[in-house]
Amino acid sequence: MSPRAACRLMDLGFENVFDYELGIADWKGAGLPIEGDGDRRLTAADAMSTDIPTCIPAETIGEVRTRIAGTQWDDCLVTDCDDLVVGRLRSKHMELAPASVIRDVMEVGPTSVRADEDLAALTERMDRRPTPLVVVATAQGELLGIVKRDDAHTVLAGKRLEREWSDCEGCPGRWK
């Protein structure tokens, strides 16, 4: 919304008003909620989860391996201090020496999609490859979550994933 519209809404008594300067396309691409009567298609945001573990480039394989032991995960996304996706560790990396530093062994620049990516088309591409999951990030590269292929099929079949919207201080909120 424009600064003028945000100002007007606040003047009318609305308290949770955000002046999102990057525009509606970026808002949708970040998976943030929208209103209106327009054509509503399923998007990556509808099947997205945020439960994948993350690590930072300065950590070691041993530290990450210990942290994800006993979880369902053998992958880890590498993010920098601003939660920007910079790499990915796969199960083959977890077999490396514990002292191996993440920045030296990670896959750099994993492919990502925006939250407003058409879910049917995305799932078709995931099936063709086959790809078990894709990273969902903003246009600026900030990690939003992942879409698991099985979850995408569940959503396309008309079932809902169990998740909830979480407000956060100083931001519009996000799915958890």
Side-chain angles (χ1 to χ4, degrees):
M1 101 177 35
S2 71
R4 184 180 310 149
C7 182
R8 178 72 175 127
L9 288 173
M10 289 187 293
D11 186 53
L12 291 171
F14 290 89
E15 295 178 8
N16 291 321
V17 177
F18 299 91
D19 178 12
Y20 198 81
E21 297 175 1
L22 297 175
I24 190 67
D26 188 72
W27 180 272
K28 290 177 185 177
L32 297 169
I34 57 172
E35 296 180 0
D37 297 329
D39 183 28
R40 176 70 175 111
R41 62 182 170 78
L42 291 172
T43 65
D46 294 309
M48 185 175 70
S49 62
T50 59
D51 62 343
I52 192 164
T54 61
C55 57
I56 59 173
E59 286 185 280
T60 65
I61 291 292
E63 291 169 324
V64 174
R65 195 183 309 154
T66 299
R67 191 166 60 245
I68 67 172
T71 70
Q72 65 174 339
W73 294 103
D74 54 6
D75 282 24
C76 185
L77 292 178
V78 185
T79 59
D80 72 2
C81 56
D82 293 325
D83 217 19
L84 300 178
V85 180
V86 295
R88 181 174 177 176
L89 294 178
R90 296 183 188 263
S91 56
K92 67 181 181 183
H93 296 109
M94 299 304 171
E95 299 169 9
L96 297 172
S100 300
V101 179
I102 302 301
R103 76 170 49 86
D104 297 334
V105 299
M106 69 183 184
E107 292 178 4
V108 178
T111 301
S112 64
V113 299
R114 304 294 160 261
D116 63 342
E117 176 96 13
D118 182 79
L119 186 60
L122 175 62
T123 305
E124 184 180 309
R125 288 195 315 270
M126 293 173 77
D127 286 342
R128 235 184 358 253
R129 300 231 168 164
T131 303
L133 65 86
V134 294
V135 177
V136 182
T138 66
Q140 294 77 29
E142 181 182 350
L143 176 63
L144 296 173
I146 57 163
V147 173
K148 300 175 199 170
R149 187 175 57 222
D150 292 343
D151 288 349
H153 281 288
T154 298
V155 170
L156 289 171
K159 299 176 185 163
R160 299 192 75 152
L161 299 178
E162 290 190 29
R163 60 191 185 146
E164 62 186 53
W165 184 259
S166 176
D167 290 326
C168 59
E169 181 117 3
C171 79
R174 61 185 61 215
W175 290 109
K176 296 214 182 245

